């Protein structure tokens, strides 16, 4: 056993790698530990491969709608293996490149293998033991496997497998109705797989604003077979297929049969493998590492960020936390609390969804007086050009102060359109005037946001 002492030990080369590099540049002796591919979830099995793959699905949807614009594509075929290869080659190449660069460095020093705490501020990685006064736990999360009878006896995929599968299945059952399930259903469904979705909630994307979740579910109802408000009770093999038995909240039983099964019911943190309890770090009821406003855990000097803390489980949120972690690690006397104000998110499905701030349900619950503004894509020139019937923008604004409380968008380019509102929420007082004072290009899609802002009225009016 070789013992090593560092100024800082970082677990995880996702967002952790950025902080490790900054700390090394600042003169600290830094160790970084990784058991999987270098670059973490976003690069290897998350944002990047999923969005590269989803572009192929988006192209297919554009082709499908082409006749509405007088274009009749013929002989369209899908080379699924080529679609996946483009993506796998790209992300694997990037990950290898980062690893080679890191291996060439003495600081931060890379330790390969699974890390486990063996005592207070003592971490074991294979034959090495790492000690430091300061740690950063950027250990992320992994797909959660629900306890469904028979699941262990059938071949199922997690999102990690689904992003690398090289054959297009004829049919697929997706367990889950969150953003990863929605995106992968779009990917496989657009390219030709018959998709069925089982979700325990009556609406898909049920954490979104109610109007958004309802519209999204309506669209997916048109695209796929949905078993909503239902639980998978048993999974079994039947010939070459997999059968998922379901039971609705109303007690009604059903069964879905498909060639492939994707489990996308959420994530579970990696704090168990790391055995954080051995160093005294407390976790919440779901196993996420508990941190204070400064990202410090229950043990002074041990910090955590990103998916490991289970707050905003998006890469941009982890990236946002990185500089705070560095600041608070380096200057305990000058710590800065993380500001999560106006943290946006997006779902790159078809339709695309994006949101920031509170949902209408949350605003109503808060008791704040508020105004709602909505506008349909269809009722702007560009929305009309796109023949976009489902899309809309919804704005929630404080009735007295004009502060933007939330914005929710469903439709083409939702993730990009949202940014005008994100910037407005961060600017000055964060009021709606930051949107309405700006001249909007006619007839760009951003007019939908402008018109939603111009239509603010007391709640209870027409819904989108
Ligand atoms: C399919 C999918 C699509 C996604 N799409 C988006 C998107 O479009 N936009 C977005 O913002 N977010 C997206 N996300 C979420 C995003 O990928 C994560 O929020 C982000 O990558 C978390 O970064 P992190 O640094 O906290 O953890 P990670 O990147 O997961 O890094 C943790 C690292 O720690 C390592 N590790 C864990 N335990 C140990 C141990 N004991 N020893 C050694 N190493 C260990 C892991 O191997 C891993 O490399 C997506 C996620 C998935 C799964």
């Amino acid at each position: 056993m070789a013992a090593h002492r560092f100024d800082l030990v970082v677990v995880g080369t996702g967002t952790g790698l950025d902080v490790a590099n900054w700390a090394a540049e600042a003169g600290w002796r830094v160790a970084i530990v990784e058991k999987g591919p270098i670059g973490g979830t976003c690069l290897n099995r998350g944002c990047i491969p999923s969005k590269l793959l989803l572009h192929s699905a988006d192209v297919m949807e554009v082709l499908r709608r082409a006749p509405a614009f007088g274009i009749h594509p013929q002989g369209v075929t899908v080379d699924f293996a080529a679609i996946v290869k483009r993506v796998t080659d790209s992300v694997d190449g990037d990950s290898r490149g980062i690893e080679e660069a890191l291996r060439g460095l003495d600081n931060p020093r890379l330790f390969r293998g699974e890390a486990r705490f063996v005592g207070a501020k003592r971490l074991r990685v294979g034959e090495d033991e790492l000690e430091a006064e300061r740690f950063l736990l950027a250990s992320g999360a992994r797909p959660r496997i629900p306890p469904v009878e028979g699941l262990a006896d059938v071949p199922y995929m997690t999102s990690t497998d689904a992003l690398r599968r090289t054959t297009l299945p004829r049919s697929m059952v997706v367990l889950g109705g969150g953003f990863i399930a929605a995106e992968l259903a779009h990917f496989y469904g657009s390219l030709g797989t018959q998709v069925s979705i089982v979700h325990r909630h009556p609406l898909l994307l049920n954490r979104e604003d109610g109007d958004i979740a309802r519209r999204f579910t309506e669209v997916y109802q048109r695209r796929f077979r949905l078993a909503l408000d239902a639980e998978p009770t048993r999974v079994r093999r039947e010939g070459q297929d997999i059968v998922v038995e379901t039971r609705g909240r109303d007690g009604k039983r059903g069964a879905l049969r498909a060639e492939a099964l994707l489990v996308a019911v959420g994530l579970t943190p990696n704090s168990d493998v790391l055995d954080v309890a051995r160093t005294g770090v407390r976790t919440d009821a779901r196993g996420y590492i508990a941190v204070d406003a400064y990202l410090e855990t229950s043990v002074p000097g041990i910090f955590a960020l990103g998916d490991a803390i289970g707050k905003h489980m998006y890469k941009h949120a982890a990236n946002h936390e990185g500089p705070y972690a560095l600041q608070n690690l380096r200057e305990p006397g000058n710590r800065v609390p993380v500001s999560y104000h106006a943290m946006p998110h997006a779902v790159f499905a078809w339709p695309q969804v994006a949101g920031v701030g509170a949902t209408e349900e949350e605003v109503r619950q808060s008791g704040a007086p508020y105004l709602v503004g909505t506008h349909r894509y269809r009722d702007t020139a560009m929305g009309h050009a796109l023949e976009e019937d489902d899309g809309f923008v919804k704005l929630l604004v404080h009735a007295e102060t004009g502060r933007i409380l939330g914005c929710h968008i469903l439709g083409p380019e939702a993730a990009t359109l949202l940014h005008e509102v994100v910037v407005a929420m961060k600017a000055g007082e964060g009021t709606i005037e930051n949107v309405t004072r700006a001249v909007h290009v006619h007839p760009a899609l951003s007019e939908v946001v402008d018109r939603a802002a111009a239509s603010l009225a007391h709640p209870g009016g027409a819904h989108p």
Side-chain angles (χ1 to χ4, degrees):
M1 184 72 53
H4 311 265
R5 207 169 163 85
F6 291 90
D7 297 317
L8 170 69
V9 174
V10 177
V11 180
T13 59
T15 317
L17 184 55
D18 292 336
V19 181
N21 282 329
W22 299 329
E25 272 167 32
W28 278 9
R29 286 279 306 142
V30 182
I32 184 155
V33 191
E34 177 58 63
K35 65 173 178 177
I38 302 290
T41 301
C42 181
L43 173 61
N44 295 288
R45 51 188 175 273
C47 339
I48 306 297
S50 61
K51 268 76 251 181
L52 294 188
L53 291 172
L54 281 163
H55 185 66
S56 295
D58 290 353
V59 169
M60 200 57 157
E61 289 304 321
V62 170
L63 289 175
R64 208 159 268 142
R65 281 159 180 70
F69 307 100
I71 293 166
H72 299 270
Q74 278 167 6
V76 176
T77 55
V78 172
D79 184 347
F80 190 73
I83 289 172
V84 177
K85 186 173 184 320
R86 173 180 87 97
V87 175
T88 307
D89 286 355
S90 164
V91 298
D92 288 353
D94 285 353
S95 178
R96 269 196 306 272
I98 302 171
E99 176 151 15
E100 273 162 33
L102 197 51
R103 282 188 187 279
L105 296 179
D106 176 48
N107 190 27
R109 181 167 163 199
L110 176 64
F111 288 84
R112 280 307 236 147
E114 190 165 281
R116 180 175 281 273
F117 279 101
V118 289
K121 297 192 174 176
R122 273 175 42 228
L123 192 70
R124 188 163 301 159
V125 190
E127 290 302 301
D128 293 299
E129 203 162 290
L130 315 182
E131 286 190 62
E133 246 334 285
R134 300 175 198 85
F135 280 80
L136 176 67
L137 311 180
S139 47
R142 60 182 186 270
R144 186 174 78 80
I145 308 303
V148 178
E149 187 189 332
L151 189 58
D153 305 322
V154 300
Y156 66 83
M157 299 185 286
T158 63
S159 57
T160 306
D161 312 309
L163 294 171
R164 282 177 183 253
R165 186 183 168 113
T166 52
T167 55
L168 183 65
R170 173 175 39 78
S171 52
M172 177 186 285
V173 174
V174 179
L175 303 186
F179 90 92
I180 294 174
E183 289 184 357
L184 287 168
H186 164 46
F187 173 62
Y188 278 97
S190 291
L191 297 176
T193 301
Q194 277 189 327
V195 173
S196 308
I197 301 176
V198 183
H199 187 39
R200 64 194 315 190
H201 196 276
L203 295 175
L204 298 172
L205 302 184
N206 51 282
R207 293 200 190 141
E208 298 292 335
D209 179 273
D211 285 330
I212 295 282
R214 266 186 293 280
R215 178 64 51 81
F216 187 85
T217 306
E218 281 164 24
V219 177
Y220 263 40
Q221 203 106 46
R222 299 202 298 262
R223 295 189 65 190
F224 309 121
R225 184 170 172 192
L226 306 184
L228 299 175
D229 217 7
E231 297 269 1
T233 51
R234 186 169 159 233
V235 177
R236 60 187 159 79
R237 209 59 199 257
E238 211 173 271
Q240 291 302 303
D241 286 347
I242 296 164
V243 175
V244 178
E245 296 176 7
T246 60
R247 190 179 54 234
R249 201 184 295 273
D250 55 6
K252 226 161 112 186
R253 290 180 179 274
L256 296 162
R257 187 191 173 109
E259 182 186 335
L261 174 62
L262 168 64
V263 177
V265 296
L267 301 173
T268 190
N270 292 324
S271 55
D272 51 352
V273 179
L274 195 53
D275 206 356
V276 295
R278 291 291 287 270
T279 189
V281 165
R282 277 202 291 274
T283 54
D284 68 15
R286 295 177 307 152
Y288 288 99
I289 296 171
V291 291
D292 62 14
Y294 307 94
L295 300 174
E296 194 163 25
T297 69
S298 49
V299 178
I302 302 188
F303 287 69
L305 57 64
D307 280 5
I309 63 171
K311 285 184 192 292
H312 298 268
M313 297 180 69
Y314 293 96
K315 180 60 177 159
H316 49 260
N319 287 344
H320 176 68
E321 289 163 345
Y324 287 97
L326 182 74
Q327 166 67 26
N328 298 339
L329 274 158
R330 291 195 65 216
E331 295 186 45
N334 192 16
R335 300 189 311 167
V336 181
V338 183
S339 164
Y340 290 105
H341 177 62
M343 177 63 70
H345 68 273
V347 183
F348 293 85
W350 190 286
Q352 217 177 78
V353 164
V356 61
T359 63
E360 185 168 1
E361 293 73 23
E362 288 166 345
V363 174
R364 210 180 293 132
Q365 209 168 19
S366 76
Y370 70 100
L371 305 173
V372 193
T374 57
H375 201 80
R376 301 193 317 158
Y377 278 55
R378 176 90 216 173
D379 298 332
T380 61
M382 191 56 81
H384 185 191
L386 298 176
E387 299 291 349
E388 174 51 48
D389 289 332
D390 296 310
F392 68 96
V393 170
K394 175 172 177 180
L395 270 163
L396 299 158
V397 171
H398 195 285
E400 286 156 11
T401 64
R403 267 173 72 93
I404 303 169
L405 302 173
C407 179
H408 308 278
I409 307 181
L410 178 146
E413 303 298 341
T416 306
L417 290 183
L418 185 76
H419 280 278
E420 165 173 17
V421 180
V422 175
V423 172
M425 286 175 83
K426 286 277 191 180
E429 296 300 306
T431 62
I432 194 66
E433 279 78 44
N434 291 318
V435 174
T436 52
R437 266 202 307 262
V439 177
H440 289 69
V441 168
H442 177 72
L445 266 186
S446 48
E447 281 188 330
V448 195
V449 179
D450 190 33
R451 300 271 180 86
S455 75
L456 287 170
H458 287 282
H463 278 270

